[in-house]
């Protein structure tokens, strides 16, 4: 492939929108062409620059111009007439001040609406979508996968959804994810399909499962309030306010499950960090005001929080102590030598006697450095990587006293997160695109730019386990298997058995965006643009449980 | 093990902060349909939710604040009028952006900027560098604004929807009324064009102050 051709594909390559063959051709060209690599790096950088550009907000006056305009007044009058039955009934009803809409009336209008033929209004694609879902559902019923009574009925196309009644969801490990403003939950084993976890009356923004998996905290983006609901769909409670509409940041549970920290909107469009007990009591602000605040990271002992705040374009790293009730700035900039870089991964060092945090900084193109800072030290963060060095992948593990695996060119280095140790390196089978450390910290799985999966544990030579790998490897909870997407399939590779490792196909599919093992290691949840699939880890069964794409990471909870 | 964190990995603050940054009305999470059977939307709530992202998008499409005000007003009034007639499974976010795009294109057409007057000619207009945050480094923001202004409008729209609004290829296709294969081409040319203009401006290509 020549540069002229490759250039046309760089953008789609960046977005992972190329067919595998073409992607391989572009990848091969990039390996040997400095100019195209530079162009690709620029595309990444400019995407980041555009994403980070400040948003322009309209003046307050615009609200008055719209809502006090003669046009708006006419519209309200028309809708009022419609409400009295003299015109077709609207689906979207404004809150008309003098005539609040009763729920029963809403239901009646809704039913009327569904009886009229709305489909043609929205075009042929919608007809096709409905047909596809109906046919898909029929197939599922044929296979016995759709429980009776599990359709939402009333002509709604979401026939794949489960009931939204008050009965608890079936007990066991359940995969949870977001789409269409609702959290959906599906039992890890058995034949059930995805069922609604959160009530129909809320629109979920950010969310997180509790450490024991029994509860889910979420922000209702419509009201800005934080709710906690049991993983079996019971006892939904509103426990506090995130202070405004459309909160998207995820709340963070303390590891002991007693506290929830969350990002809240403050006056003047600023954000702040707040902390409350898991029942909503003692809700206090713990950070200063900033343009942006990240979801905090808890220390293992649940006594401290680490988070970032961005003001005037600069992102600083902070900690907060629940004991002293004081926050402390640990770094004024994610990477003191690179103003563009922001924190990519932030973690607490494992030794509670010498509390400190470690983080990687990324400038949109590469990891620019790895840092650590102790709470009791001199105050200045320590750069753990060579100044000017760049890394294509970096992953932290709390094993071995805290260490980073960082890849640069054809070298993978283990870098101790404290300054006391020295780095060790191995030569990889190519430039590393992704690296994942096993939960027990003993082994690393990494994917090279030429799509090969390698397995490496310190003291042994790395070996290639698979080729034609796309996406990131996912470790099983017991560190004995890696799930990965390769050559049109989701595969499970046994670790520790060398290059002849047993490989099991879990499901067919390309374009998976997530692979999440259940906590018992018996299931793998797979998300792609077609929906969510659950595959049993023994490769016996894979079933599509939701025909909607997950819009959030999948998390596993435990109901019952 | 934190077996059920909503974030992919505890401590992935980059993604979380990006999610917050995208809070108001962008991002894939927002493309969800609004089901009237389940909730009655207030027009004011829709406005509160989408005013900033829609205004910001229109502003970058047309290049000045005053016109962005007018076009944002038109966009919301058009949407409010049409909303009661829409299907219950409407993807509100993509639909609003579609109205905003068409409204902005119409305005540009009225300014006779389509086809025969390249967007570059507008560089003589004073650049609007008013920042949401007065402390923000003007340099980058101004360069972004100027580089966007110099791009062809269709490519500009695709790039903004992808990078700032977090739209997928399918959502961009639906919003801009083009095929998904067209989105690939638009984004490729958009990135190429933005890069050329940004680098030229960075190297002293003249940014109006």
């Amino acid at each position: 492939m020549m540069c002229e051709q490759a250039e046309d594909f760089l953008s789609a390559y960046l977005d992972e929108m190329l067919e595998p063959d073409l992607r391989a051709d572009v990848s091969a060209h990039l390996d040997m062409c400095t100019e195209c690599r530079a162009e690709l790096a620029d595309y990444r950088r400019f995407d980041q620059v555009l994403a980070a550009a400040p948003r322009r907000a309209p003046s307050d006056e615009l609200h008055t111009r719209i809502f006090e305009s003669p046009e708006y007044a006419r519209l309200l009058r028309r809708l009022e007439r419609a409400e009295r039955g003299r015109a077709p009934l609207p689906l979207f009803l404004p809150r008309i001040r003098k005539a609040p809409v009763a729920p029963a009336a809403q239901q009646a209008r809704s039913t009327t609406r569904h009886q009229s033929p709305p489909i043609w209004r929205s075009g042929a694609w919608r007809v096709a979508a409905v047909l596809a879902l109906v046919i898909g559902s029929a197939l599922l019923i044929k296979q016995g996968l759709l429980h009776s009574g599990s359709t939402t009925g009333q002509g709604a196309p979401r026939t794949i959804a489960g009931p939204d009644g008050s009965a608890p969801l079936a007990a066991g490990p359940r995969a949870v994810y977001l789409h269409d403003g609702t959290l959906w939950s599906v039992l890890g084993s058995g034949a059930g399909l995805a069922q609604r976890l959160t009530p129909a009356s809320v629109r979920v923004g950010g969310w997180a499962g509790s450490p024991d998996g029994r509860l889910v905290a979420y922000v209702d983006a419509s009201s800005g309030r934080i709710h906690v609901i049991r993983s079996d769909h019971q006892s939904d409670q509103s426990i506090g306010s995130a202070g405004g509409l459309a909160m998207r940041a995820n709340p963070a549970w303390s590891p002991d499950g007693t506290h929830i920290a969350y990002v809240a909107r403050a006056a003047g469009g600023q954000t702040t960090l707040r902390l409350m007990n898991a029942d909503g009591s003692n809700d206090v602000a713990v950070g200063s005001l900033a343009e942006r605040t990240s979801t905090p990271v808890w220390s293992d002992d649940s006594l401290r929080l680490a988070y970032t705040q961005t003001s005037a374009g600069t992102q600083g790293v902070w900690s907060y102590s629940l004991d002293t009730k004081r926050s402390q700035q640990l770094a004024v900039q994610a990477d003191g030598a690179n103003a563009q870089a922001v924190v990519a991964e932030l973690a607490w060092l494992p030794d509670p006697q010498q509390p400190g945090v470690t983080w990687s900084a990324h400038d949109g193109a590469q990891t620019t450095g790895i840092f650590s800072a102790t709470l009791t030290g001199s105050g200045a963060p320590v750069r753990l990587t060579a100044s000017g060095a760049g890394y294509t992948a970096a992953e932290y593990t709390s094993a071995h006293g805290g260490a980073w695996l960082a890849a640069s060119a054809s070298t993978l280095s283990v870098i101790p997160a404290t300054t006391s140790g020295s780095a060790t390196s191995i030569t990889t089978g190519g430039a590393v695109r992704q690296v994942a450390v096993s939960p027990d910290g003993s082994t690393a799985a990494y994917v090279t730019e030429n799509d090969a999966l390698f397995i490496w544990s310190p003291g042994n030579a790395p070996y290639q386990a698979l080729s034609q790998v796309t996406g990131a490897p996912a470790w099983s909870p017991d560190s004995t298997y890696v799930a990965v997407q390769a050559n049109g399939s989701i595969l499970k590779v046994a670790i520790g058995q060398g290059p002849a490792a047993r490989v099991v196909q879990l499901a067919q599919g390309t374009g998976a965006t997530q692979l999440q093992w259940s906590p018992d290691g018996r299931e793998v949840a797979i998300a792609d643009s077609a929906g969510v699939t659950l595959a049993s880890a023994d490769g016996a069964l894979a079933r599509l449980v939701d025909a909607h794409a997950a819009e959030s990471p999948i998390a596993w909870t435990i109901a019952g | 093990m934190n077996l059920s964190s909503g974030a992919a990995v505890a401590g992935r603050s980059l993604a979380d902060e990006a999610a917050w940054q995208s809070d108001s009305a962008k991002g894939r999470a927002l493309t969800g349909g609004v089901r009237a059977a389940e909730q009655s939307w207030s027009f004011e709530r829709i406005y509160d939710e989408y005013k900033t992202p829609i205004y910001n998008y229109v502003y970058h499409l047309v290049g000045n604040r005053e016109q962005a005000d007018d076009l944002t007003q038109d966009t919301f009034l058009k949407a409010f009028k049409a909303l009661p007639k829409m299907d219950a499974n409407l993807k509100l976010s993509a639909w609003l952006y579609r109205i905003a795009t068409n409204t902005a294109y119409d305005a540009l057409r009225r300014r006779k900027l389509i086809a025969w007057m390249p967007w570059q000619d507008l560089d003589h207009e004073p650049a609007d560098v008013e920042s949401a945050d007065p402390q923000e480094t003007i340099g980058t923001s101004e360069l972004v604004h100027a580089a966007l202004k110099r791009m062809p409008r269709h490519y500009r729209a695709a790039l903004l929807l992808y990078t700032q609004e977090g739209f997928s290829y399918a959502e961009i296709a639906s919003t801009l009324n083009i095929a998904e294969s067209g989105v690939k081409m638009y984004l490729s040319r958009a990135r190429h064009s933005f890069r050329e203009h940004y680098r030229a401006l960075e190297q002293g290509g003249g940014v109006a102050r």
Side-chain angles (χ1 to χ4, degrees):
Chain A
M1 180 176 280
M2 307 295 289
C3 280
E4 293 74 25
Q5 291 171 291
E7 267 184 357
D8 286 343
F9 297 124
L10 287 180
S11 168
Y13 178 87
L14 178 63
D15 300 336
E16 298 191 353
M17 295 296 284
L18 290 180
E19 297 299 318
D21 290 352
L22 190 50
R23 183 177 173 80
D25 288 348
V26 175
S27 189
H29 176 80
L30 284 167
D31 281 343
M32 57 188 189
C33 177
T34 321
E35 276 181 31
C36 286
R37 276 207 303 276
E39 185 161 350
L40 186 66
D42 272 357
Y43 286 179
R44 278 204 188 95
R45 174 165 79 97
F46 290 134
D47 275 11
Q48 183 81 11
V49 164
L50 279 161
R55 302 297 194 265
R56 265 68 177 177
S59 60
D60 293 342
E61 186 193 315
L62 189 60
H63 181 276
T64 313
R65 278 174 56 181
I66 292 174
F67 291 98
E68 293 183 11
S69 66
E71 251 179 306
Y72 188 74
R74 275 198 297 277
L75 174 63
L76 287 192
R77 282 198 297 275
R78 191 166 65 78
L79 289 169
E80 276 184 300
R81 283 200 302 277
E83 267 197 279
R84 291 196 295 266
R86 285 199 295 264
L89 292 168
L91 266 180
F92 291 86
L93 290 170
R95 298 252 168 83
I96 299 167
R97 271 155 286 175
K98 61 184 178 181
V101 182
Q106 279 181 41
Q107 187 57 47
R109 272 190 295 279
S110 162
T111 307
T112 308
R113 176 65 191 170
H114 281 299
Q115 285 164 354
S116 67
I119 297 295
W120 60 270
R121 292 180 198 275
S122 51
W125 65 269
R126 202 179 292 281
V127 177
V130 170
L131 279 174
L133 277 166
V134 168
I135 293 166
S137 302
L139 287 171
L140 289 166
I141 290 167
K142 194 180 168 191
Q143 291 173 43
L145 294 180
L146 191 62
H147 290 304
S148 71
S150 65
T151 59
T152 52
Q154 297 299 319
R158 196 186 300 288
T159 48
I160 202 157
D164 189 20
S166 57
L169 299 179
R174 305 188 64 99
V176 172
Y177 51 90
L178 176 77
H179 70 70
D180 287 352
T182 295
L183 288 176
W184 299 85
S185 173
V186 60
L187 190 63
S189 56
L193 298 172
Q195 294 169 288
R196 182 186 283 281
L197 173 64
T198 47
S201 55
V202 304
R203 203 157 50 88
V204 178
W207 63 283
S210 64
D212 65 3
R214 305 280 172 183
L215 299 168
V216 171
Y218 67 90
V219 181
D220 176 6
S222 304
S223 64
R225 294 193 64 80
I226 295 180
H227 292 233
V228 171
I229 189 169
R230 272 175 26 197
S231 299
D232 63 0
H233 178 58
Q234 301 296 295
S235 304
D236 183 50
Q237 288 183 323
S238 166
I239 62 166
S241 173
L245 296 173
M247 277 289 313
R248 299 278 161 222
N250 293 324
W253 289 86
S254 60
D256 64 6
T258 59
H259 289 79
I260 297 173
Y262 63 98
V263 180
R265 182 170 278 184
Q270 301 275 85
T271 63
T272 189
L273 185 64
R274 296 188 69 90
L275 178 65
M276 62 185 178
N277 294 337
D279 62 2
S281 60
N282 288 337
D283 185 356
V284 291
V286 301
S288 49
L289 296 182
E291 287 159 30
R292 294 197 294 274
T293 302
S294 68
T295 293
V297 180
W298 283 92
S299 60
D300 286 343
D301 57 10
S302 299
L303 293 177
R304 293 183 179 83
L305 290 160
Y307 57 100
T308 70
Q309 288 202 310
T310 305
S311 287
T314 303
Q315 187 190 49
V317 181
W318 293 77
S319 73
Y320 175 80
S321 161
L322 275 67
D323 276 345
T324 64
K325 297 185 169 39
R326 296 183 66 170
S327 54
Q328 177 182 352
Q329 188 170 35
L330 302 174
V332 293
Q333 199 167 298
D335 178 345
N338 187 335
Q340 300 291 324
V342 293
V343 173
E345 186 175 356
L346 178 62
W348 283 91
L349 295 171
D351 183 0
Q353 302 306 315
Q354 291 181 304
V357 301
T358 183
W359 67 92
S360 59
H362 201 279
D363 69 356
Q366 62 176 356
T367 298
T368 59
I370 294 170
F371 304 84
S372 69
T374 55
L375 270 53
T376 51
S378 62
V382 176
R383 177 186 284 272
L384 302 172
T385 50
S387 188
Y391 297 87
T392 52
E395 173 95 1
Y396 175 73
T397 172
S398 59
H400 315 298
W404 289 84
L405 255 77
S408 174
S410 291
T411 303
L412 186 64
S413 304
V414 181
I415 302 168
T418 56
T419 50
S420 54
S422 59
T424 54
S425 298
I426 56 159
T427 302
T428 57
V432 174
R433 191 172 66 211
Q434 260 138 351
V435 58
V437 187
S438 63
D440 66 4
S442 67
T443 312
Y446 61 86
V447 181
T448 59
E449 277 295 333
N450 50 5
D451 303 332
L453 172 73
F454 283 83
I455 306 295
W456 173 63
S457 51
N460 297 302
Y463 66 89
Q464 181 173 346
L466 280 177
S467 58
Q468 297 186 47
V469 170
T470 52
W475 281 95
S476 66
D478 64 0
S479 302
T480 54
Y481 296 99
V482 164
V484 74
Q485 181 175 262
N487 203 13
S489 295
I490 311 300
L491 303 175
K492 181 184 83 168
V493 185
I495 301 305
Q497 299 178 10
R502 197 163 60 91
V503 175
V504 175
Q505 186 190 44
L506 301 182
Q508 290 190 326
T510 56
T513 51
Q514 294 185 59
L515 304 172
Q516 297 282 357
W517 288 81
S518 63
D520 59 9
R522 290 183 181 172
E523 301 274 334
V524 177
I526 303 160
D528 60 25
S529 58
V532 177
T533 299
L534 287 189
S536 59
D538 58 7
L541 179 69
R543 58 204 171 96
L544 182 70
V545 294
D546 195 331
H548 296 78
E551 294 168 358
S552 74
I554 297 173
W556 283 87
T557 60
I558 297 175
Chain B
M1 180 185 59
N2 186 2
L3 63 86
S4 52
S5 166
V9 178
R12 291 249 180 233
S13 57
L14 176 69
D16 286 343
E17 187 165 344
W20 164 251
Q21 187 187 338
S22 69
D23 88 76
S24 195
K26 57 157 282 195
R28 288 171 177 82
L30 257 194
T31 56
V34 178
R35 288 171 295 281
E38 295 166 0
Q39 59 190 115
S40 146
W41 272 86
S42 134
F43 286 154
E44 296 225 18
R45 183 185 288 179
I46 292 174
Y47 176 76
D48 280 343
E49 179 90 14
Y50 289 95
K51 64 182 177 190
T52 301
I54 290 288
Y55 176 85
N56 178 66
Y57 174 64
V58 169
Y59 165 74
H60 282 303
L61 280 184
V62 298
N64 80 64
R65 295 197 74 118
E66 221 169 72
Q67 195 171 22
D69 265 338
D70 292 346
L71 297 176
T72 305
Q73 180 180 351
D74 288 354
T75 298
F76 279 106
L77 284 171
K78 280 179 192 171
F80 294 163
K81 274 189 223 165
L83 208 40
K85 302 172 203 156
M86 299 309 291
D87 187 276
N89 296 302
L90 175 73
K91 299 278 188 189
L92 185 61
S93 174
W95 181 73
L96 275 177
Y97 279 93
R98 187 167 182 170
I99 296 175
T101 307
N102 291 338
T103 304
Y105 282 3
D106 283 347
L108 292 172
R109 205 174 283 124
R110 281 198 299 275
R111 281 160 62 180
K112 298 187 189 302
L113 285 171
I114 287 182
W116 44 76
M117 187 185 283
W119 181 254
Q120 285 92 312
D121 288 357
L122 278 184
D123 280 348
H124 300 300
E125 234 181 51
D128 182 347
V129 295
E130 204 173 320
S131 167
D133 171 13
Q135 290 179 305
E136 189 235 348
T137 312
I138 292 298
T140 307
S141 165
E142 193 177 13
L143 285 172
V144 167
H145 183 71
L148 283 170
K149 279 182 86 169
R150 293 182 173 203
M151 291 171 63
R153 65 185 171 96
H154 289 103
Y155 302 158
R156 186 164 60 237
L159 190 64
L160 287 168
L161 290 172
Y162 191 77
T163 60
Q164 294 207 332
E165 313 309 327
F167 276 33
S168 66
Y169 276 39
E171 288 160 351
I172 296 173
S174 160
T175 303
L176 299 183
N177 203 19
I178 56 175
E180 266 191 68
S181 55
V183 176
K184 247 184 222 178
M185 188 268 281
Y186 272 34
L187 280 176
S188 174
R189 295 189 181 169
R191 282 178 166 134
H192 187 76
S193 171
F194 184 84
R195 178 181 188 244
E196 295 299 306
H197 291 309
Y198 192 97
R199 285 163 64 112
L201 290 159
E202 221 173 10
Q203 288 157 17
V207 180
R209 279 181 187 272

